[in-house]
Amino acid sequence: MDTVPVLFQIGPFGITATVATTWGILLALGLICGLLTRHLSTENPGFPQTLAEGVVQTIEAAIAAVLPEETQRILPFVGSLWLFVATANLTGLVPGLHSPTGDLSATAALAFLVFLSVHWFGICSAGLKAYLRHYLAPNPVLLPFHLLGELSRTLALAIRLFGNIMSLEMAALLVLLVAGLLAPVPVLMLHVIEALVQAYIFGMLALIYIAGGMQSREESNSRPKGKTR
């Protein structure tokens, strides 16, 4: 894997193309969301508002299918994650730009955010003691395996997205080099579909991990309590 070139320096920190592209995506998404929510209307929503509402409702329905009681709590994080990953995956279609998710450092950062969110939502849902207690179930001997599973799935989440996007860009480049301009449209459509599919899978895996972390509340509530007179 080639080293990502450094575009410029901010003190001792080198800003790579991945970081700059990520900042650009975040800025663009922030501006778009700000413009879309600036003039909301219930009577004449218009096409941009209708499109935005359709995207939000689609994400909300996907979350509700997994966590129906926690949809509104999970929606801001998972929805933002889906939108960012989808946009980042599609950035490779812009001439002169590469998808940030084609860089392992970017996918590792996203996977680390998912890792933190799992524990955050789990603790907020069940409480610190109940959440930590579920790592000892059904037997404290399994604690090292639970911890190893947390680390391995986070690493797999990062490598999976990175490998798929990098291979997608390389395959598209090879096809264009061999076929020239004879097959740009099929390659473009394949790139768009695969980028959206990978974003959906990444967000759905994050949602499933969060749901697993929040199940500690149900496990603690389902335990038999002492008899009362």
Side-chain angles (χ1 to χ4, degrees):
M1 182 178 62
D2 297 334
T3 303
V4 180
V6 176
L7 299 180
F8 57 91
Q9 296 281 144
I10 299 181
F13 302 102
I15 306 302
T16 64
T18 299
V19 175
T21 306
T22 301
W23 287 352
I25 293 173
L26 294 175
L27 180 60
L29 289 177
L31 290 176
I32 292 173
C33 292
L35 293 175
L36 289 175
T37 57
R38 191 172 182 179
H39 300 289
L40 297 178
S41 175
T42 57
E43 298 179 357
N44 298 311
F47 178 75
Q49 181 179 337
T50 302
L51 180 61
E53 290 178 354
V55 173
V56 173
Q57 290 176 357
T58 301
I59 297 175
E60 187 176 7
I63 298 175
V66 180
L67 287 171
E69 298 180 357
E70 304 289 345
T71 302
Q72 296 305 316
R73 182 190 296 187
I74 307 298
L75 178 61
F77 175 74
V78 176
S80 300
L81 189 66
W82 252 321
L83 291 176
F84 174 80
V85 175
T87 306
N89 291 350
L90 293 172
T91 305
L93 296 174
V94 180
L97 296 180
H98 295 283
S99 301
T101 45
D103 187 345
L104 185 58
S105 61
T107 58
L110 291 171
F112 184 66
L113 285 177
V114 174
F115 173 81
L116 294 179
S117 69
V118 170
H119 303 301
W120 170 260
F121 288 115
I123 292 173
C124 291
S125 177
L128 181 59
K129 289 184 178 180
Y131 180 75
L132 294 179
R133 195 184 301 121
H134 91 279
Y135 281 102
L136 303 177
N139 193 301
V141 177
L142 297 177
L143 175 62
F145 298 97
H146 285 304
L147 298 179
L148 182 61
E150 294 282 349
L151 296 176
S152 61
R153 74 181 185 184
T154 302
L155 181 62
L157 193 64
I159 295 178
R160 187 186 186 284
L161 181 60
F162 158 72
N164 283 313
I165 298 303
M166 185 185 66
S167 61
L168 177 63
E169 290 189 340
M170 292 182 62
L173 179 61
L174 290 176
V175 171
L176 290 177
L177 289 177
V178 174
L181 298 178
L182 297 179
V185 176
V187 172
L188 178 64
M189 295 303 299
L190 175 64
H191 195 127
V192 171
I193 295 174
E194 182 67 18
L196 295 178
V197 168
Q198 292 304 321
Y200 174 79
I201 294 175
F202 188 90
M204 186 57 67
L205 288 175
L207 179 59
I208 293 173
Y209 295 161
I210 292 173
M214 298 181 73
Q215 284 180 354
S216 58
R217 177 183 63 181
E218 299 178 0
E219 293 173 357
S220 61
N221 292 336
S222 62
R223 291 178 181 175
K225 298 181 180 179
K227 296 181 179 180
T228 57
R229 295 182 180 178

